[in-house]
Amino acid sequence: MRNPTAAARPLLALLGLLLAAGCSAPGAPAAAARTPAATPAVHAAPGRNPAAARAARAAAFRRWGVPLLPPPPAPPAVKPVRTGGGQIPVVSRIPTTRKIVFVTFDDGAEKDPRFVQMMKDLRIPFTMFLTDDIIRNDYAFFKPLQALGNPIEDHTLSHPDLPTRSPARQRQEICEQQTRLTREYGVRPGLFRPPYGDYDAATRAAVRSCGGLRAIILWRESMQIKDVAFQDPGRRYHPGDIVLAHFRGPSELKGESMTAMVRNMLRSIAAQGFTVAPLEDYV
Ligand SMILES: [Zn+2]
């Protein structure tokens, strides 16, 4: 283990305080973790003292019980998924040889301030696919996650099984969610995930018609309560796999917290020698 430099010690002490605040108060109100003071100083440090920043990052991973994941590699000069052609691409794995996977969180039900703190500390890149009916009771919860650089993408207004709906209704579900997310978060989504992964030709036509959506995103692995469900019978991640997780808490996780679920997922990714990269850099 690296000895912290003199310059790093105050930073580490501060980090310890921040982490203690983030970890010890499961019942704390959401606002407590969203105050500006909760933004960890460690993330402001790289420009000033890279060694201290690295040490603080390693300490944050230890504190959350997650193996130290390498930072994402530099984004490719050209996105490997081509978009903007005649057909909307449907993507569940990104073409790449790098040992990276892409993490996505869906729906938006659980709004756990400790998850916000965990992501502020670890800076794992991820994409959120949000449904209006599920997030409208607290749009603000997702803003600090977005402020960390994690995009908010389209997952319909009400989470229907789209192929059972008329083309007009599908279009409404997808395009109106574009409009609402743009209004709430100031950025027009570029990616769409159909609820349950179900889509048909009308879905693709609707996605194309909304304006701004460039791809339909599915997944290769899904995070369960403690284990990852792999589509690969060998239970292996492959370079470029997209991993599905949800904003879920104890009521849906048999008492487990969202941060425990995320910790298990990151352990599984690290155990196979992978790290996590931002999906939007590749699509
Ligand atoms: Zn969903």
Side-chain angles (χ1 to χ4, degrees), residues 106-107 155 159 195-196 246:
D106 279 17
D107 302 350
H155 194 45
H159 211 275
Y196 317 106
H246 290 86

Side-chain angles (χ1 to χ4, degrees), residues 17-265:
L17 285 173
L18 288 168
L19 285 172
C23 299
S24 63
R34 293 208 294 268
T35 56
T39 303
V42 54
H43 301 308
R48 299 198 304 269
N49 188 336
R54 275 197 303 276
R57 183 173 184 271
F61 275 76
R62 278 197 300 277
R63 182 70 183 81
W64 284 102
V66 176
L68 184 60
L69 290 163
V78 177
K79 292 183 179 185
V81 175
R82 297 300 172 87
T83 59
Q87 180 77 288
I88 291 281
V90 179
V91 182
S92 59
R93 178 186 290 161
I94 300 295
T96 180
T97 55
R98 294 166 167 171
K99 289 198 81 176
I100 51 174
V101 297
F102 302 91
V103 169
T104 61
F105 291 101
D106 279 17
D107 302 350
E110 174 74 0
K111 299 170 184 75
D112 181 351
R114 293 205 314 139
F115 173 70
V116 177
Q117 190 61 53
M118 184 185 203
M119 293 298 109
K120 282 180 175 175
D121 292 342
L122 301 184
R123 292 287 176 130
I124 303 294
F126 58 90
T127 298
M128 296 172 271
F129 288 96
L130 302 182
T131 292
D132 192 62
D133 279 1
I134 302 173
I135 64 169
R136 69 201 312 176
N137 64 357
D138 190 1
Y139 288 122
F141 171 82
F142 302 93
K143 290 183 179 174
L145 296 171
Q146 180 193 30
L148 293 171
N150 303 304
I152 291 174
E153 307 285 16
D154 190 336
H155 194 45
T156 73
L157 287 176
S158 71
H159 211 275
D161 187 10
L162 287 168
T164 68
R165 301 298 199 273
S166 70
R169 179 65 195 282
Q170 289 202 41
R171 191 171 187 287
Q172 180 192 27
E173 284 281 345
I174 299 165
C175 301
E176 282 195 20
Q177 180 65 341
Q178 283 281 90
T179 303
R180 290 196 197 187
L181 290 173
T182 306
R183 182 190 71 202
E184 294 300 328
Y185 299 106
V187 182
R188 193 163 178 82
L191 304 178
F192 175 71
R193 173 171 281 159
Y196 317 106
D198 283 349
Y199 65 95
D200 62 10
T203 316
R204 290 177 94 156
V207 167
R208 193 154 177 239
S209 76
C210 291
L213 292 173
R214 60 186 185 274
I216 291 175
I217 303 296
L218 302 180
W219 61 88
R220 295 291 300 177
E221 287 84 28
S222 61
M223 187 60 210
Q224 308 301 309
I225 297 170
K226 289 183 177 163
D227 295 311
V228 180
F230 289 86
Q231 291 179 18
D232 175 0
R235 297 185 52 78
R236 303 291 303 173
Y237 293 103
H238 297 272
D241 278 0
I242 296 168
V243 184
L244 166 67
H246 290 86
F247 287 92
R248 284 181 179 154
S251 62
E252 298 123 322
L253 296 177
K254 298 189 176 171
E256 283 279 13
S257 67
M258 182 162 176
T259 54
M261 180 198 73
V262 171
R263 185 192 65 219
N264 293 337
M265 176 175 67

